[in-house]
Amino acid sequence: MGGSGSEKFDHPYVPRDLKLEGYVPVFLSQSTIVGVYGVSSLLVFFLVWFLSGRSPKRSRIDRWLMCWWAFTGLTHMILEGYFAFSPEFYKDKTPFYLSEVWKEYSKGDSRYAARDAGVVAVEGITAVLEGPACLLAIYAIAAGKSYSYILQFAISLGQLYGTAVYFITSILEGDNFATSSYYYYAYYVAANASWVVIPTLISIRCWKKICASVASQSQGQKKAKTR
Amino acid sequence: MGGSGSEKFDHPYVPRDLKLEGYVPVFLSQSTIVGVYGVSSLLVFFLVWFLSGRSPKRSRIDRWLMCWWAFTGLTHMILEGYFAFSPEFYKDKTPFYLSEVWKEYSKGDSRYAARDAGVVAVEGITAVLEGPACLLAIYAIAAGKSYSYILQFAISLGQLYGTAVYFITSILEGDNFATSSYYYYAYYVAANASWVVIPTLISIRCWKKICASVASQSQGQKKAKTR
């Protein structure tokens, strides 16, 4: 069961000289850990897609966005929230799903187990501020609130800034935190890619929508003056 | 002139066991360093205030914002840009102003001299992306561009995110990087406070302006449909 402290570096992570006293190995298989996340995410997507479809006026893109905000918001609050406030997850002696997730993910980026300050800061901001804001975005879209675009823009920009800090600090610190190149590409690169691509697309869309509104309002004001 | 390496910890920074081989002490006095920055900033403010006043239609708040974007943009690009790309500024053997600034500021936060990855990542993003974006904001306000508010909102949010990462990583790493409580409050707290207060105010203003535009546009569309 490990964690007895008899071996000095009793963990699978890189760099090998990382000290993690009391480390308890992961219990669940990779397919179980990734599978539970994948299936839960699909369930969230289908549920929000189904519920949002009950209003016939709602566009497909708005429904898709509501699914995204539900998925990313719950990921921020539950998964990343657990990490941000559980400095000793790697010592967990039970197969508790959320600590298993981070034990497994640390194979792609050991800074999670090592509690790198940059990673914890970004995950904390993401969990505490952006997570609830994502759920608010679902409501804003559903209710057609005037702050819908600017809120989605703000969260997406926060996600992009967080991902930028995440990758840049890794490069500055030597980019040597993955157990193997498989975990490097599967966890560190691929799992984070969605939070680069999707927030970029949403930011561009919101930017355009907002500029169009501002332009149309100022044209309206000019017309009103000319009359 | 120091830097000979005969003493082990030949620098004024905290923590005392920080290794800075080749450190050369600051040449200029504190009043010179702070004074040059203060006077240059005031010059920038007055110049932009004067130039922006030549258009009689321009509001006082827009003129004030143009001054702020000029001041903060030049600070990001010149001061923070120099830091981001000068890992060995503390070894500078000449009284070059920009290296003097960071030798002096490191008394408030030694992570600058120690090249903390979180600090370098935030300063790099600020210098490379936000700096030029601030200068674009001046043009956007001057030319009355429709992207003026969303751009100002984006930069302000970036500044707030950066400041949040800056303070949170410091707390997580023990908040023990200031030479004395004087430097802690004068440099680390007071000098950064402007980048908490002003971006917050600008973000709120842009949020409100954008919401008003979106609301007015969607009302206009409803009216057009009713006709």
Side-chain angles (χ1 to χ4, degrees), chain A residues 117-118 120-122 125-126 130 145-147 149-151 153-154 157-159 161-162 164-165 168-169 172-173 207 209-217, chain B residues 117-118 120-122 125-126 130 145-147 149-151 153-154 157-159 161-162 164-165 168-169 172-173 207 209-217:
Chain A
V120 177
V122 166
I125 295 169
T126 306
E130 289 168 24
K145 290 286 174 191
S146 60
Y147 61 79
Y149 294 127
I150 186 75
L151 176 64
F153 181 78
L157 222 64
Q159 292 172 325
Y161 200 111
V165 170
I168 295 171
T169 49
L172 291 170
E173 287 167 348
W207 178 286
K209 292 273 184 190
I210 287 168
C211 288
S213 284
V214 172
S216 114
Q217 194 200 20
Chain B
V120 177
V122 166
I125 295 169
T126 305
E130 288 168 25
K145 290 287 176 190
S146 61
Y147 62 79
Y149 293 128
I150 186 77
L151 176 65
F153 182 78
L157 222 63
Q159 291 172 325
Y161 200 111
V165 170
I168 295 172
T169 49
L172 290 170
E173 287 167 348
W207 177 286
K209 292 274 185 189
I210 287 168
C211 288
S213 286
V214 173
S216 114
Q217 194 199 20

Side-chain angles (χ1 to χ4, degrees), chain A residues 36-154:
Chain A
V36 167
Y37 183 51
V39 170
S40 328
S41 302
L42 282 174
L43 277 175
V44 167
F45 252 89
F46 282 121
L47 184 71
V48 176
W49 184 262
F50 169 74
L51 290 173
S52 64
R54 292 167 70 172
S55 166
K57 283 192 298 178
R58 197 164 286 136
S59 70
R60 273 172 166 267
I61 177 92
D62 272 348
R63 288 174 68 193
W64 189 91
L65 284 167
M66 289 165 86
C67 294
W68 162 253
W69 291 122
F71 158 72
T72 190
L74 292 174
T75 300
H76 292 338
M77 290 173 75
I78 301 173
L79 261 70
E80 296 171 81
Y82 176 78
F83 165 75
F85 297 101
S86 305
E88 305 207 324
F89 71 86
Y90 62 84
K91 297 183 186 174
D92 195 341
K93 291 190 181 85
T94 67
F96 177 56
Y97 182 70
L98 294 177
S99 53
E100 294 288 288
V101 165
W102 295 112
K103 283 181 188 177
E104 180 66 22
Y105 184 78
S106 294
K107 292 178 189 168
D109 186 351
S110 68
R111 297 181 299 165
Y112 278 77
R115 210 120 195 107
D116 177 272
V119 167
V120 177
V122 166
E123 291 291 14
I125 295 169
T126 306
V128 173
L129 296 178
E130 289 168 24
C134 293
L135 303 189
L136 182 61
I138 305 174
Y139 167 74
I141 297 172
K145 290 286 174 191
S146 60
Y147 61 79
S148 175
Y149 294 127
I150 186 75
L151 176 64
Q152 292 181 68
F153 181 78

Side-chain angles (χ1 to χ4, degrees), chain B residues 7-46:
Chain B
E7 281 176 69
K8 206 172 176 187
F9 306 123
D10 196 14
H11 63 70
Y13 307 126
V14 167
R16 291 306 299 146
D17 60 356
L18 172 66
K19 273 185 198 167
L20 284 180
E21 243 168 89
Y23 167 78
V24 178
V26 69
F27 294 89
L28 305 172
S29 69
Q30 184 192 27
S31 52
T32 306
I33 294 172
V34 176
V36 168
Y37 182 52
V39 170
S40 326
S41 302
L42 282 174
L43 277 175
V44 167
F45 251 89
F46 282 120

Side-chain angles (χ1 to χ4, degrees), chain B residues 13 23 26 28-31 33-34 89 99-109 179 182-183 187:
Chain B
Y13 307 126
Y23 167 78
V26 69
L28 305 172
S29 69
Q30 184 192 27
S31 52
I33 294 172
V34 176
F89 72 86
S99 53
E100 294 288 288
V101 164
W102 295 113
K103 283 181 189 177
E104 181 66 23
Y105 183 78
S106 293
K107 292 178 188 167
D109 186 351
T179 298
Y182 165 74
Y183 289 112
Y187 292 174

Side-chain angles (χ1 to χ4, degrees), chain B residues 139-203:
Chain B
Y139 167 74
I141 296 171
K145 290 287 176 190
S146 61
Y147 62 79
S148 174
Y149 293 128
I150 186 77
L151 176 65
Q152 293 181 69
F153 182 78
I155 309 168
S156 299
L157 222 63
Q159 291 172 325
L160 288 173
Y161 200 111
T163 317
V165 170
Y166 179 66
F167 285 122
I168 295 172
T169 49
S170 168
I171 293 165
L172 290 170
E173 287 167 348
D175 197 16
N176 182 34
F177 303 106
T179 298
S180 70
S181 63
Y182 165 74
Y183 289 112
Y184 183 85
Y185 288 106
Y187 292 174
Y188 176 72
V189 176
N192 289 295
S194 312
W195 281 276
V196 176
V197 176
I198 297 173
T200 303
L201 295 174
I202 295 178
S203 301

